[in-house]
Amino acid sequence: MRRSERYDGTVGRTGERGRMEDAMDGALEEYLERIAPADSGAMRAAEERHAQLTKPAGSLGVLEELSIRVAGMTGTQAVPAPAVVSVFAADHGVHAQNVSPWPQEVTAAMLANFAAGGAAVNAFAKNNGVDIRVVDVGVATPVDQLDIVHAKVRAGTRDLSQTGALTEDEARAAIAVGFDLADRLVQDGYRCLLTGDMGIANTTASAALIATFTGATADAVTGRGTGIDDAALAHKTGVVRGALALHAVPPTEPLKALQAYGGLEHAALAGYILGAAANRVPVILDGVIAGAAALVAQAFHSAVIDYCVAGHRSAEPGHAVALKQLGLQPLVDLDLRLGEGTGAVLAYPILTCAVRALAEMATFEDAGITS
């Protein structure tokens, strides 16, 4: 996929309307039918190989479990490379409730920064050999001039504290953006997908989604986001609490949860995660936004978590709650709360080291070592 591209949905239909019509024609349901659990036979083979490698059993700790899981995802013991991080960007109507001190225009400004190579995720990705795709799925400010993937469903969500953030058509369309991008990246040869995000006020929507799918309280999952003070945190928590009471979405209704709270990047990320699972490639999750999206994806299809790796644990309190619900152990814990995909990109070399050890270490027989 070219770095700059106008997304037009599936072949034969163009533009926003075509994208929504395709989404409503059962595309989501077709995607879900493609997802199967991890390959148990490949996992057994990986376990058996680990028992033969020149090391004490279990001495690589979490890396052994990780390499076995990746073998189950891909059906092989090959290193999943190359990798790409997709940064989905969108804005949120709840910004009007003063849940963030940053102006909404920062989202578009950061997209320009990504496109110019000046963000933290650019530096990390360059260091670790990871490609980047920046995707406008719902930025409020026009960004047509930027060298990015243009897939805008609408210019930001509605205010989740007052009404539903998205219509069903819009939520489905945003999911389709993520799933279709995953399909196309795999077709282009990528074998590991990483999540990234950008959107002022997106931690508010994340808190509402995490509370919905875990049963946690607003107080337990609402954090400081870009660094708000105690008074602002209390206000933000109250906004999340009120939205949960207003919409009262059960955890068995992921599409309705996206309609209630958004965001467009959450929906696209959920589709992207589902797309990784459908294509049997690992998806490394970033922070709290990705954690919320993974809960949505899990509610759509439980087997999707077989393909997820938690890149890191965010400093946002809701992320730990989400990871516990997902049953995922983070590879990195560095108090990060930047987003962008930084934690996922940092974790990618750990994943490749784990798989390379499985694939390339000598066995005791190879090394002529006998007990």
Side-chain angles (χ1 to χ4, degrees):
M1 179 182 291
R2 299 184 305 278
R3 185 177 294 273
S4 177
E5 184 168 331
R6 176 70 59 180
Y7 178 88
D8 289 328
T10 56
V11 175
R13 300 185 182 186
T14 58
E16 181 175 339
R17 184 65 257 164
R19 199 161 60 242
M20 289 186 178
E21 289 174 357
D22 282 331
M24 290 301 294
D25 282 350
L28 173 58
E29 289 72 19
E30 292 174 9
Y31 295 152
L32 296 178
E33 289 176 2
R34 291 171 49 189
I35 298 173
D39 185 334
S40 59
M43 295 176 72
R44 282 195 301 273
E47 287 185 73
E48 291 169 2
R49 178 168 171 78
H50 262 299
Q52 301 168 30
L53 298 180
T54 50
K55 59 177 177 59
S59 59
L60 288 180
V62 172
L63 298 185
E64 294 190 16
E65 179 187 357
L66 176 61
S67 66
I68 292 166
R69 290 193 65 227
V70 174
M73 299 173 198
T74 65
T76 75
Q77 294 176 14
V79 174
V84 59
V85 57
S86 296
V87 183
F88 293 94
D91 282 307
H92 297 260
V94 73
H95 182 269
Q97 301 302 319
N98 297 314
V99 293
S100 172
W102 292 86
Q104 200 166 59
E105 290 75 16
V106 169
T107 303
M110 281 303 300
L111 259 66
N113 195 26
F114 296 141
V121 71
N122 297 98
F124 290 4
K126 183 177 181 181
N127 187 75
N128 292 343
V130 175
D131 289 340
I132 299 179
R133 295 294 182 273
V134 179
V135 187
D136 170 19
V137 71
V139 179
T141 305
V143 291
D144 290 346
Q145 78 282 7
L146 296 180
D147 188 21
I148 62 174
V149 178
H150 296 280
K152 195 190 303 285
V153 172
R154 61 171 282 121
T157 60
R158 300 167 188 84
D159 184 349
L160 62 84
S161 71
Q162 305 299 312
T163 188
L166 297 168
T167 66
E168 181 179 347
D169 287 26
E170 291 161 352
R172 283 178 172 265
I175 293 169
V177 169
F179 203 107
D180 292 348
L181 181 62
D183 270 358
R184 297 168 76 181
L185 289 170
V186 173
Q187 290 167 11
D188 285 348
Y190 291 103
R191 291 297 174 262
C192 189
L193 305 184
L194 285 62
T195 75
D197 64 86
M198 179 62 214
I200 299 301
N202 61 9
T203 58
T204 303
S206 295
L209 289 170
I210 292 169
T212 294
F213 292 106
T214 66
T217 66
D219 299 78
V221 298
T222 308
R224 297 182 184 274
T226 51
I228 56 179
D229 61 20
D230 289 347
L233 176 60
H235 169 69
K236 178 180 177 181
T237 303
V239 170
V240 173
R241 188 182 301 113
L244 291 169
L246 173 66
H247 299 292
V249 180
T252 55
E253 298 286 350
L255 191 58
K256 289 183 179 178
L258 289 172
Q259 290 172 240
Y261 309 115
L264 289 156
E265 77 272 49
H266 293 89
L269 282 166
Y272 185 74
I273 294 165
L274 291 166
N279 284 285
R280 304 192 68 85
V281 298
V283 56
I284 303 181
L285 307 177
D286 192 40
V288 68
I289 315 304
L295 288 169
V296 174
Q298 182 186 48
F300 276 121
H301 199 304
S302 60
V304 75
I305 300 305
D306 288 356
Y307 300 86
C308 292
V309 175
H312 80 119
R313 189 197 323 271
S314 169
E316 282 288 296
H319 193 214
V321 176
L323 290 178
K324 182 177 180 181
Q325 183 75 17
L326 294 167
L328 297 175
Q329 181 175 355
L331 299 181
V332 175
D333 192 351
L334 298 173
D335 289 335
L336 305 177
R337 55 179 178 86
L338 177 59
E340 301 181 4
T342 47
V345 175
L346 278 173
Y348 176 64
I350 298 175
L351 183 148
T352 57
C353 283
V355 177
R356 195 171 295 280
L358 172 66
E360 299 180 8
M361 282 183 67
T363 65
F364 288 110
E365 182 178 359
D366 293 335
I369 300 173
T370 58
S371 57

